[in-house]
Amino acid sequence: FEKARAAHGQERLTVNCAGIATGMKTVSRKKDTGEIKAHDMAQFERTVRVNLFGTFRVLSQSAAGMVTLEPMADGERGLIVNTASVAAQDGQIGQAAYSASKFAVLGLTQASAMDLAKHQITVNAVCPGPINTDRLSYWEQDRAQQQGVSLEEFRGQIVETAGQNTPMGRIAEPSDVANMVAFLASEDASFITGQAYNVNGGLLFH
């Protein structure tokens, strides 16, 4: 934050979008997925630290700077958008660590929105479903090897299956999520705070 502010000044918009995705493994190859009785405690804690504690640290640091700003023409001082997940609203088998951390992000979003409303700072969240990105997880690599196909071929299968399971018939693109973030960062959303928006093509209603 110090380096960014020195180069660009105090931010008015912060998007929390980093995290550990389901199916990733550490260097030690310990998974954050699997039945709850088999979860590795160290990796469970790491998932929560990145997805929840990381979001908290960025949010709190950004809010501390935003409250010092002079209000804009519409009275607003700043906007914060957290990235949650469909897993934040619908617990899924084998994803206890990921779902727990993302459920907590929604609680953090709502509580922070209440705390910061008096400062005219909005806090909202986006909840994406499966996204067609080039993120390569160890899970995808392992499954591709098991099936004897290339990583690209396996990812193509995942994208096709995700599209078939989505009411709108396709997997989400990064731009679908970016468009929601852009809306929440616009003047049109200046009276929206503490909300969580699904971007999943009808995969989950909540």
Side-chain angles (χ1 to χ4, degrees), residues 126-169:
V126 291
C127 298
I131 307 295
N132 185 23
T133 69
D134 59 0
R135 180 190 61 82
L136 302 180
S137 74
Y138 287 110
W139 176 82
E140 290 174 324
Q141 294 177 29
D142 289 345
R143 290 296 298 274
Q145 290 177 0
Q146 291 171 11
Q147 294 184 17
V149 298
S150 68
L151 183 58
E152 291 71 21
E153 184 177 351
F154 180 74
R155 288 206 67 251
Q157 296 173 9
I158 295 297
V159 169
E160 181 179 359
T161 300
Q164 292 172 349
N165 293 334
T166 302
M168 293 192 71

Side-chain angles (χ1 to χ4, degrees), residues 164-197:
Q164 292 172 349
N165 293 334
T166 302
M168 293 192 71
R170 68 172 177 86
I171 192 172
E173 296 295 333
S175 58
D176 292 314
V177 181
N179 289 338
M180 175 55 72
V181 172
F183 166 71
L184 292 172
S186 72
E187 293 183 5
D188 292 336
S190 62
F191 201 60
I192 298 174
T193 194
Q195 306 303 310
Y197 287 89

Side-chain angles (χ1 to χ4, degrees), residues 104-116:
V105 167
L106 294 189
L108 177 64
T109 298
Q110 294 176 9
S112 299
M114 297 293 289
D115 287 345
L116 296 172

Side-chain angles (χ1 to χ4, degrees), residues 15-193:
V15 180
N16 265 319
C17 60
I20 295 179
T22 299
M24 295 292 285
K25 301 178 186 176
T26 62
V27 175
S28 64
R29 306 289 283 178
K30 294 179 179 178
K31 298 182 179 180
D32 66 343
T33 56
E35 293 185 12
I36 189 65
K37 67 179 184 295
H39 261 53
D40 176 79
M41 185 59 191
Q43 181 60 11
F44 189 100
E45 182 177 349
R46 180 171 182 264
T47 301
V48 173
R49 280 189 168 277
V50 173
N51 291 348
L52 176 59
F53 291 11
T55 298
F56 165 76
R57 293 182 69 182
V58 171
L59 189 158
S60 60
Q61 287 291 316
S62 187
M66 288 179 181
V67 297
T68 67
L69 292 170
E70 289 295 321
M72 294 183 286
D74 60 2
E76 195 167 53
R77 283 193 172 91
L79 312 98
I80 299 172
V81 181
N82 297 323
T83 304
S85 168
V86 293
Q89 300 176 340
D90 184 32
Q92 300 174 354
I93 188 170
Q95 298 186 18
Y98 187 74
S99 286
S101 66
K102 292 298 187 176
F103 265 85
V105 167
L106 294 189
L108 177 64
T109 298
Q110 294 176 9
S112 299
M114 297 293 289
D115 287 345
L116 296 172
K118 62 186 177 184
H119 299 291
Q120 300 302 305
I121 298 171
T122 63
V123 186
N124 292 290
V126 291
C127 298
I131 307 295
N132 185 23
T133 69
D134 59 0
R135 180 190 61 82
L136 302 180
S137 74
Y138 287 110
W139 176 82
E140 290 174 324
Q141 294 177 29
D142 289 345
R143 290 296 298 274
Q145 290 177 0
Q146 291 171 11
Q147 294 184 17
V149 298
S150 68
L151 183 58
E152 291 71 21
E153 184 177 351
F154 180 74
R155 288 206 67 251
Q157 296 173 9
I158 295 297
V159 169
E160 181 179 359
T161 300
Q164 292 172 349
N165 293 334
T166 302
M168 293 192 71
R170 68 172 177 86
I171 192 172
E173 296 295 333
S175 58
D176 292 314
V177 181
N179 289 338
M180 175 55 72
V181 172
F183 166 71
L184 292 172
S186 72
E187 293 183 5
D188 292 336
S190 62
F191 201 60
I192 298 174
T193 194

